[in-house]
Amino acid sequence: MKFQINPLISDIFISIYIVGTLYFRIKIQNEYPINPLFSILIGFLFILFIWALIKVKILNPNWFGLFNVNKARS
């Protein structure tokens, strides 16, 4: 049995993760003069980490129900 996180908890975790990583990147860029390409690389690695967690089905995002399409039955 794989370790899976509830969709609502996954959504909350991803939201906090995105806000935290953006705060981290902005704080690092203000404190240290870094190359913009290095900042893009850091952002790519943060996104790659979340993508990997979703791909192996540890995180199961529901996107807060935004893309939940109920098909009309005929």
Side-chain angles (χ1 to χ4, degrees), residues 9-23 64:
I9 306 268
S10 294
D11 290 341
I12 293 169
F13 176 78
I14 291 170
S15 299
I16 291 171
Y17 180 81
I18 289 171
V19 170
T21 56
L22 283 174
Y23 172 76
F64 296 106

Side-chain angles (χ1 to χ4, degrees), residues 16-36:
I16 291 171
Y17 180 81
I18 289 171
V19 170
T21 56
L22 283 174
Y23 172 76
F24 173 75
R25 287 178 61 200
I26 290 170
K27 183 177 179 180
I28 292 296
Q29 286 180 355
N30 285 337
E31 291 181 6
Y32 304 106
I34 63 172
N35 190 352

